């Protein structure tokens, strides 16, 4: 009887040992991470070892990525799409893997785990040959690195839609197995649209109970599966277009326009200027801009356009056009936007010589503060200041949120600066600042083309 019992126990032990899948050590867990597309996962509801389609050769060589064609790409975030309280797995013990505890979703991804996963995704993109923007944010020298002036055009993000998280322990060992299906999306800031939407599944195992390394590698495996899809790079290349030349190195010329040689009244300045002032809107904010050339070029602040590649521009007549951000200079806080629609009816503003700016002279600002469009305020030039690396025109003209990017004009109706900021604190009033127009244009590689006959502006 005892011999039969021991034989039965030995048989069960051998059966259990052969049924255990192999798992990696903490130093080799990446080699066990594998991925699949969501279509192949649908063939079975059971956790299984998925065959990875990832080739051993570098992805860049496999699909001929041209770094000059693809703009920089960045990683946004990974969020959970699982409702809080949903059962996603559990802890199992013993030879028979008896369920001891159920795991339920919290509804969000741990912040440190998400940051580690985002860094892993950036690393995968770099290894695949992509030009990844802001990857230095994970550098130990991140505090010494300056913010990039040109934001990435494409953003990658993911939403976790399915999770199978289980841990197993016995007298011999313990392990954590994680399988995640993630809906990946690529967002194009130029069109403000999602151009790729695809779900892939990744799984991984790691030693120990509740080891987050399994989750980390499952997310990485899911993204590597996405990278292996030819549609990933094809969609980016189609969005950019091979004939689209980079604009960062371009220079622009604008025509010199006449301004009045006699001082104008505030009413005259406003009536002439307001049709050239526009309202700029982005997904994250709004501000002011003004037309500087008959081709539809607009000047504004970089902090108005933010990281957008295209913006909505509301004109004086109430119509709205799309504006494409051609250039930006974050250090000087200026940006150049080009209207894409009909601009024949939009007048441009004359540009003043900065040397003509005098402390104490009267100036006018026009902008769109709060919800009040084309607001006109008047003051004087309080001083010419150097703050940091920038020269600024100090003025007591009333400036409020929404005024940013608007013109500051002299009494001849010419632009002397771009309204950019004000000091706000208890006891501080009338401390506004504008960027000198000549330096603003220079920092965007915009040059005023001299005209043979620049007369007085007709009023």
């Amino acid at each position: 009887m005892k011999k039969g019992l021991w034989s039965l126990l030995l048989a069960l032990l051998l059966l259990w040992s052969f049924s255990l899948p192999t798992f990696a050590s903490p130093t080799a867990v990446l080699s066990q991470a594998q991925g699949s597309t969501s279509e192949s996962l649908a063939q079975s509801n059971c956790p299984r070892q998925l065959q990875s389609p990832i080739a051993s050769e570098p992805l860049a060589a496999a699909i001929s990525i041209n770094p000059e064609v693809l703009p920089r790409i960045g990683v946004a975030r990974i969020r959970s799409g699982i409702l809080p309280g949903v059962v996603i797995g559990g802890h199992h013990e013993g030879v028979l893997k008896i369920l001891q505890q159920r795991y339920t979703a919290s509804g969000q991804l741990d912040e440190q785990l998400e940051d580690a996963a985002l860094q892993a995704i950036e690393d995968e993109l770099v290894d695949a040959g992509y030009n990844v923007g802001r990857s230095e944010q994970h550098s130990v020298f991140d505090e010494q690195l300056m913010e990039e002036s040109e934001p990435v055009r494409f953003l990658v993000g993911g939403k976790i839609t399915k999770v199978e998280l289980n841990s197993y322990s016995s007298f011999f060992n313990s392990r954590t197995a994680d399988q995640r299906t993630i809906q990946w999306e690529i967002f194009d800031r130029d069109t403000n649209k999602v151009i790729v939407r695809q779900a892939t599944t990744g799984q991984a195992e790691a030693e120990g109970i509740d080891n987050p390394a399994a989750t980390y590698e499952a997310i990485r495996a899911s993204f590597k599966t996405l990278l292996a899809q030819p549609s990933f790079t094809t969609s980016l290349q189609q969005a950019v277009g091979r004939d689209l030349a980079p604009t960062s190195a371009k220079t622009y010329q604008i025509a010199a326009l006449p301004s009045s040689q006699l001082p104008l009244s505030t009413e005259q300045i406003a009536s002439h200027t307001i049709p050239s002032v526009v309202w700029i809107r982005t997904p994250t904010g709004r501000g002011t801009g003004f037309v500087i050339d008959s081709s539809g070029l607009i000047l504004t602040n970089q902090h108005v356009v933010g990281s957008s590649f295209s913006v909505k521009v509301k004109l004086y007549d109430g119509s709205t056009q799309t504006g494409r951000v051609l250039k930006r200079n974050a250090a000087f806080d200026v940006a150049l936007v080009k209207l894409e629609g009909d601009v024949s009816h939009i007048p441009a503003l004359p540009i003043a010589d900065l040397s003509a700016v005098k402390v104490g002279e009267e100036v006018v600002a026009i902008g769109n503060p709060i919800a009040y469009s084309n607001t006109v305020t008047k003051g004087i030039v309080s001083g010419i200041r150097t703050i940091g690396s920038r020269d600024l025109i100090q003025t007591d003209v009333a400036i409020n949120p929404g005024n940013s990017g608007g013109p500051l004009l002299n009494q001849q109706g010419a632009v002397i600066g771009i309204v950019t900021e004000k000091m706000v604190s208890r006891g501080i009033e009338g401390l506004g600042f504008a960027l000198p127009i000549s330096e603003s244009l220079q920092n965007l590689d915009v040059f005023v083309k001299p005209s043979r006959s620049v007369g007085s502006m007709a009023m």
Side-chain angles (χ1 to χ4, degrees):
M1 182 68 179
K2 291 184 178 180
K3 182 177 180 181
L5 179 61
W6 281 110
S7 298
L8 177 61
L9 290 175
L10 180 61
L12 288 173
L13 179 60
L14 289 174
L15 179 63
W16 172 76
S17 63
F18 281 112
S19 66
L20 281 177
T22 58
F23 57 89
S25 65
T27 58
V29 67
L30 176 58
S31 64
Q32 293 294 318
Q34 296 181 322
S36 75
T37 61
S38 56
E39 288 76 14
S40 62
L41 176 67
Q43 298 174 4
S44 173
N45 293 324
C46 301
R48 57 190 174 89
Q49 202 72 10
L50 303 175
Q51 296 300 317
S52 173
I54 301 173
S56 58
E57 61 179 327
L59 184 62
I63 56 180
S64 301
I65 296 175
N66 184 353
E68 296 181 356
V69 172
L70 293 179
R72 292 181 307 135
I73 187 170
V75 183
R77 64 167 302 187
I78 302 172
R79 64 184 180 90
S80 174
I82 311 296
L83 293 175
V86 173
V87 176
I88 57 175
H91 175 63
H92 309 261
E93 291 186 355
V95 176
L96 301 179
K97 303 177 184 178
I98 300 174
L99 179 65
Q100 299 294 321
Q101 177 186 357
R102 294 186 183 276
Y103 293 153
T104 58
S106 65
Q108 59 185 8
L109 198 63
D110 178 79
E111 184 176 346
Q112 291 185 333
L113 180 60
E114 181 184 12
D115 186 67
L118 294 180
Q119 183 175 355
I121 293 172
E122 286 185 346
D123 292 342
E124 292 295 334
L125 285 167
V126 171
D127 291 343
Y130 288 89
N131 184 5
V132 181
R134 298 183 61 82
S135 59
E136 73 275 3
Q137 65 179 315
H138 298 115
S139 168
V140 293
F141 304 108
D142 56 353
E143 294 181 355
Q144 308 300 321
L145 297 171
M146 294 187 64
E147 182 181 355
E148 294 176 323
S149 59
E150 185 68 25
V152 296
R153 172 175 169 180
F154 298 101
L155 286 174
V156 177
K159 180 174 70 173
I160 300 172
T161 59
K162 185 177 180 181
V163 176
E164 293 182 16
L165 176 63
N166 293 283
S167 61
Y168 305 90
S169 64
S170 67
F171 178 77
F172 299 97
N173 52 44
S174 61
R175 61 188 173 90
T176 300
D178 199 331
Q179 180 172 283
R180 304 214 166 208
T181 300
I182 302 177
Q183 178 81 24
W184 297 101
E185 293 183 347
I186 302 179
F187 182 76
D188 184 355
R189 279 175 163 158
D190 187 39
T191 59
N192 290 323
K193 293 181 180 179
V194 173
I195 61 172
V196 173
R197 184 178 284 110
Q198 184 172 356
T200 60
T201 297
Q203 71 172 20
E205 294 186 358
E207 286 185 341
I209 300 174
D210 299 334
N211 189 342
T215 300
Y216 168 87
E217 292 299 343
I219 295 174
R220 181 199 286 263
S222 173
F223 185 72
K224 290 179 72 172
T225 303
L226 176 72
L227 270 181
Q229 307 300 317
S231 58
F232 182 88
T233 299
T234 301
S235 298
L236 293 177
Q237 291 176 334
Q238 290 177 346
V240 175
R242 294 185 180 275
D243 58 345
L244 181 63
T247 59
S248 58
K250 285 186 177 180
T251 60
Y252 301 86
Q253 282 194 338
I254 62 175
L257 299 176
S259 60
S260 174
Q261 295 185 359
L262 298 175
L264 303 174
S265 67
T266 303
E267 180 182 358
Q268 289 174 316
I269 295 173
S271 63
H272 174 74
T273 303
I274 284 177
S276 305
V277 177
V278 300
W279 195 337
I280 296 177
R281 290 180 295 171
T282 72
T284 58
R286 59 178 178 79
T288 305
F290 56 95
V291 180
I292 60 170
D293 189 69
S294 59
S295 64
L297 292 178
I298 293 174
L299 271 186
T300 187
N301 287 136
Q302 189 275 336
H303 75 260
V304 170
V305 299
S307 58
S308 299
F309 278 71
S310 64
V311 297
K312 294 298 181 182
V313 181
K314 185 177 180 181
L315 307 178
Y316 173 64
D317 61 7
S319 63
T320 299
Q321 292 189 13
T322 297
R324 188 173 301 277
V325 181
L326 299 181
K327 302 192 76 169
R328 69 193 88 207
N329 187 313
F332 202 73
D333 194 21
V334 287
L336 185 67
V337 178
K338 174 73 164 58
L339 289 174
E340 294 189 326
D342 179 21
V343 297
S344 59
H345 63 293
I346 308 175
L349 295 180
I351 305 299
D353 184 358
L354 182 62
S355 62
V357 178
K358 305 298 182 183
V359 175
E361 72 171 306
E362 293 186 351
V363 289
V364 173
I366 301 178
N368 304 300
I370 313 177
Y372 302 104
S373 60
N374 299 319
T375 296
V376 180
T377 53
K378 183 179 180 180
I380 63 170
V381 172
S382 304
I384 307 297
R385 312 296 182 191
T386 299
I387 302 178
S389 59
R390 300 184 302 173
D391 291 330
L392 295 172
I393 301 172
Q394 180 187 335
T395 178
D396 65 350
V397 170
I399 296 174
N400 293 285
N403 269 113
S404 293
L408 185 69
L409 305 115
N410 61 17
Q411 289 298 290
Q412 285 70 41
V415 180
I416 66 171
I418 306 174
V419 174
T420 184
E421 60 192 52
K422 66 179 293 187
M423 287 189 179
V424 179
S425 182
R426 178 176 296 181
I428 296 179
E429 299 221 0
L431 282 178
F433 297 92
L435 300 165
I437 187 63
S438 57
E439 292 184 30
S440 300
L441 295 174
Q442 182 180 353
N443 279 280
L444 292 171
D445 295 318
V446 178
F447 303 96
V448 180
K449 181 171 56 177
S451 176
R452 292 182 180 179
S453 58
V454 178
S456 300
M457 178 175 62
M459 298 299 297

